[in-house]
Amino acid sequence: MLEKTFDFSTAEKRIYDAWEKSGAFKGGQRPEAEPFTIVLPPPNVTGSLHIGHALNHTLQDILIRFERLRGKDVLWQPGMDHAGIATQMVVERQLDEEGISRRDLGREKFIERVWQWKEQSGGMIFNQMRRLGQSCDWSRQRFTMDEGFHEAVLKVFVELYNAGLIYKDKRLVNWDPKLKTAISDLEVEQREVNGHYWHFKYPVDGEEGRYVVVATTRPETMLGDVAVAVHPDDERYQDLIGKTLTLPLVGRKLIVVADEHADPEKGSGAVKITPAHDFDDHMVGKRHNLENINIFDDEARTNDNVPEKYRGLDRYEARKRVVADMEALGLLEKVEDTVHMVPYGDRSGVVIEPWLTDQWYVNAAELAREAIAAVEDGRTKFVPKQWEKTYFEWMRNIEPWCISRQLWWGHQIPAWYGPDGETFVAMSEEEARKAAHDHYGRDVELVRDPDVLDTWFSSALWPFGTLGWPDENDPFLKRHYKTDVLVTGFDIIFFWVARMMMDGLHFMKDVPFHTVYVHALVRDEFGAKMSKSKGNVIDPLELADKYGADALRFTLAAMEAQGRDIKMSEKRVEGYRNFGTKLWNAARFCEMNDCFGLGAFDPASAKLAVNKWIIGEVMKTVDKVTSSLEAFRYNEAAGAIYHFTWGTFCDWYIELIKPLFQGDDEAAAKECRQTAAWVIDRILVLLHPFMPFITEELWQALSDQRETPLILAQWPHKDDHLIDAEAGAEMNWAISLISEIRTARAEMNVPAGAKIQMLLSGADARSKTALENHREVIMRLARLESIALHEGEAPKGAIQVVLGEVSVFLPVADVIDISEEKKRLEKNLAKLEKEMAGLRGRLGNEAFLAKAPEKVVMESRQALAEGEEKIAKTKAALKRLDAME
């Protein structure tokens, strides 16, 4: 016998452990079946589960469980990313607490410490994923620093280098002066800060008293200026194009160049050009063949390329001195306050410096060509399709990819340098030494490049590196590449998705996945982005502990509408917990009424209209859930099974068949019991991908005749022969009638215990048949005293309900005081309209919108929407009362 409630706090771990122990998650168990493969976007080894992970992983698990139930040989390949900078920082902080620096330890000992930390603490996120029911094949867990994966990374580097697609170059990068490494754009956080525009006067050579005014938010970089740009059509500067200015404090000659980068509408229309310290300026410098003068060292302190008095200064100290000296010379025209975006390192928290340095690069433009074509010709498609535009925009404007990082933790670049700087790229030092011997004709000392590869370089190999490549005969690689679906957020389409496309096509000669599903962002209940500073961060594990993993999973799926961000609220999770309770109670009711263990049931044998109807509704729901999941419309799939379970089955079918359980017709009662058990089984299977724990518990508790646990059961197929249109029309008519009567009673404030008369006018033969077949149930559920046919005009004091061709009259004048009811409703309406007028005034007040916290504004808007809905319902009820007089 089922317990009174489902105790998820003890059941979820028990059920998960049983699944894992049974091997239910393992791929390769159905060798004859069609494969279905997803690679888990590898979370950082330092990571812990946040709400974005919970969404991403739940959407993947829904697909995996859905396809497993459909009989496919599924593989959900898990793994972790070594997360170069993030992991190195964790271990360095530990060393700081011990009073040790990584340089004290040396590279080898430091890396040993990182591995120790990884073994002890890494992978916490995988245990948290288990907590939410994610059914990965944990036996195939991979790590981007695994020995086999490391070999794949080296092979890719060597082959791309030998093909001329990897090279070393001096270019501008995002430099983190605290971590002393280049970082990717994804690791740069743009922050809005209060700053200044300093307007400086640069003297025009040969024209005493004439100046060109330039404005900058970074005065210290003027020490590296090599030119001033003006727009080619700016009439103010036509005579200066090609002439020179003198750079104050330095004395360098600056050429005036014509370039569209200069905006005539902004400031003076003239722009200082510092190619070594600004990405836009760097492009101007390339177009005009300008010199790159690097004025900072790796700590963002001024170097020997600036006048002696400014050398060795922190960039902000240099800024103060430059401004003071320009002001002393009378060359500071004005200072304006401004709010502007400044790049910060998301790990170090310091301002990033565009810095000119030698780095390794991939010729991304060459690799991008086939990756662009693969999306253009449909080999890979994006869902929603709008993200293809973003992908194309990035890929068609792709820059060389900087892949080197000045770190110790990561894949060390397999390049060795000879005494004269000659480069030898090889899979091992032994191979490099052999190549050097062939080159020099003798053994020479080689020095390995100290840098490591960008984390994205290794994770770009994820779809084939995790499946056994470079062993091209690995059975998993042959069977599961290309993978089916990649589920990811939009923010890494370029950093990860595009690079997997490039490497997959280059090394595997096929796309890594046929579909990229780009999911939404999870925001708070008012639509605001979550952040610790706002205090609105939602912890998915706290919600799972409070309401159960099933409730959280279902909430995420139900709210995942393509192209629309999720407004997450605890109230919604609580609501879907109640949905699980509703299902549990329905199952208990059916169990207590002996619906299970009655032998095999053929739904085609059903004779009663109520059973034919519910069986048909099951078929429609199977079709809707299946087609929605196939189209990645998670919210529609969740909505279909939710409304069928709660509304159609629990609220209607069970209520409709209750009298039959206690009736004298044993054949009818048995048919209802068997039908109810058959329907519950279909609900459990359809709901399993969304709510795996409660469905598995019910599946095994309700019958001891199961051939498999639910996780390995069979997905139902739609059978159109089981949809009886006539029975459906009959039952839907009866349900609509009951619903309309209930609504009218509620609007008129008819007491719940009061039984009233119903008069029916204009009924055709079909409606009369439906009425007679379901008279008792209609009377019971609509709380009617009697039912009679009626001809002529509407009776005085009766509510009128129209149902198709039928008019329904409910005389209630003896049950309620119409005039008093009107007074009550009018009083409520006046109060509502006054409150809503106040809310409209507040929301129309610009001062309120500007000063009030975002949460208060959103709550006011929500209250207005709810109030206006109440006003509409109140007016409709008053209209009904007017019609009764």
Side-chain angles (χ1 to χ4, degrees), residues 510-805:
D510 197 0
V511 294
F513 21 72
H514 63 65
T515 301
V516 178
Y517 179 76
V518 183
H519 61 69
L521 280 178
V522 186
R523 298 180 178 273
D524 73 10
E525 61 184 304
F526 302 110
K529 192 173 181 180
M530 291 185 199
S531 70
K532 289 179 182 176
S533 61
K534 288 182 180 177
N536 64 347
V537 173
I538 293 173
D539 184 341
L541 296 168
E542 285 182 11
L543 290 175
D545 288 343
K546 191 170 182 180
Y547 300 107
D550 286 331
L552 174 61
R553 289 170 60 107
F554 199 89
T555 304
L556 292 166
M559 300 185 77
E560 171 60 19
Q562 290 180 17
R564 192 189 313 152
D565 286 345
I566 291 173
K567 292 181 181 178
M568 188 73 178
S569 74
E570 186 172 332
K571 194 177 287 187
R572 290 294 293 265
V573 184
E574 183 181 11
Y576 289 124
R577 188 275 313 273
N578 296 343
F579 169 55
T581 301
K582 183 86 171 178
L583 171 65
W584 185 268
N585 289 341
R588 285 187 79 236
F589 171 81
C590 291
E591 183 188 43
M592 287 187 290
N593 281 279
D594 302 319
C595 295
F596 300 94
L598 296 177
F601 173 65
D602 176 9
S605 68
K607 295 181 174 59
L608 298 177
V610 69
N611 291 330
K612 290 179 181 180
W613 161 73
I614 196 66
I615 290 165
E617 292 302 307
V618 168
M619 290 298 102
K620 292 174 189 175
T621 306
V622 166
D623 185 45
K624 180 64 177 175
V625 175
T626 305
S627 61
S628 296
L629 285 178
E630 287 175 338
F632 307 101
R633 297 193 176 279
Y634 292 93
N635 62 316
E636 293 181 12
I641 187 60
Y642 175 88
H643 290 298
F644 172 79
T645 304
W646 189 305
T648 308
F649 181 71
C650 296
D651 284 354
W652 286 111
Y653 179 71
I654 287 178
E655 292 301 318
L656 291 168
I657 63 171
K658 274 180 180 177
L660 294 168
F661 284 166
Q662 280 85 44
D664 297 330
D665 190 336
E666 290 184 14
K670 183 179 181 183
E671 181 182 297
C672 288
R673 289 188 171 96
Q674 287 183 307
T675 302
W678 181 88
V679 174
I680 283 185
D681 276 3
R682 269 78 205 149
I683 288 173
L684 296 179
V685 180
L686 293 173
L687 190 55
H688 180 75
F690 305 92
M691 303 179 90
F693 292 110
I694 192 171
T695 53
E696 184 72 80
E697 183 84 335
L698 287 171
W699 178 264
Q700 296 189 32
L702 291 173
S703 173
D704 57 6
Q705 306 295 314
R706 308 293 192 192
E707 294 179 7
T708 67
L710 178 54
I711 191 173
L712 298 175
Q714 189 174 351
W715 189 260
H717 297 281
K718 183 190 177 190
D719 183 349
D720 288 332
H721 293 101
L722 294 178
I723 300 175
D724 188 314
E726 194 171 323
E730 182 177 310
M731 294 310 305
N732 286 329
W733 184 89
I735 288 168
S736 295
L737 177 62
I738 295 165
S739 298
E740 289 290 342
I741 295 171
R742 284 175 168 177
T743 300
R745 288 180 64 120
E747 284 182 0
M748 295 299 102
N749 208 27
V750 175
K755 291 196 171 183
I756 58 175
Q757 186 184 18
M758 182 185 84
L759 303 173
L760 212 64
S761 175
D764 60 13
R766 183 174 292 182
S767 298
K768 287 177 181 177
T769 300
L771 181 63
E772 288 310 311
N773 288 346
H774 305 286
R775 176 182 286 267
E776 286 185 24
V777 101
I778 290 169
M779 289 180 65
R780 179 170 60 88
L781 297 181
R783 295 195 190 98
L784 300 176
E785 184 180 50
S786 63
I787 295 176
L789 297 177
H790 177 80
E791 291 183 11
E793 294 182 6
K796 197 82 172 169
I799 307 170
Q800 182 174 352
V801 172
V802 178
L803 191 68
E805 82 290 350

Side-chain angles (χ1 to χ4, degrees), residues 58-74:
T58 295
L59 298 181
Q60 291 173 74
D61 193 47
I62 287 169
L63 294 178
I64 285 291
R65 288 178 181 273
F66 169 56
E67 298 295 2
R68 188 186 286 124
L69 290 165
R70 294 218 287 182
K72 293 183 183 177
D73 183 20
V74 302

Side-chain angles (χ1 to χ4, degrees), residues 316-357:
Y316 297 111
E317 181 58 32
R319 175 179 297 181
K320 290 177 187 174
R321 292 204 191 177
V322 165
V323 171
D325 290 349
M326 289 293 282
E327 187 172 19
L329 290 170
L331 297 176
L332 175 61
E333 184 179 75
K334 62 178 178 178
V335 182
E336 289 180 311
D337 292 337
T338 186
V339 176
H340 62 125
M341 303 305 289
V342 175
Y344 282 76
D346 67 348
R347 303 286 180 189
S348 66
V350 302
V351 175
I352 294 307
E353 192 63 51
W355 200 52
L356 201 61
T357 178

Side-chain angles (χ1 to χ4, degrees), residues 851-869:
K851 293 177 182 177
E854 187 177 8
K855 183 178 180 181
V856 172
V857 174
M858 295 302 295
E859 285 174 343
S860 297
R861 285 182 176 145
Q862 193 173 327
L864 179 61
E866 290 171 359
E868 286 178 337
E869 188 178 344

Side-chain angles (χ1 to χ4, degrees), residues 64-111:
I64 285 291
R65 288 178 181 273
F66 169 56
E67 298 295 2
R68 188 186 286 124
L69 290 165
R70 294 218 287 182
K72 293 183 183 177
D73 183 20
V74 302
L75 171 64
W76 189 7
Q77 173 66 54
M80 281 183 292
D81 195 294
H82 64 279
I85 291 178
T87 305
Q88 182 159 320
M89 281 188 69
V90 168
V91 179
E92 284 199 61
R93 277 197 293 268
Q94 292 174 354
L95 292 175
D96 285 343
E97 291 172 6
E98 298 171 26
I100 306 171
S101 79
R102 67 179 166 104
R103 298 191 186 280
D104 294 334
L105 280 181
R107 184 171 191 138
E108 193 173 322
K109 292 287 186 186
F110 176 76
I111 290 172

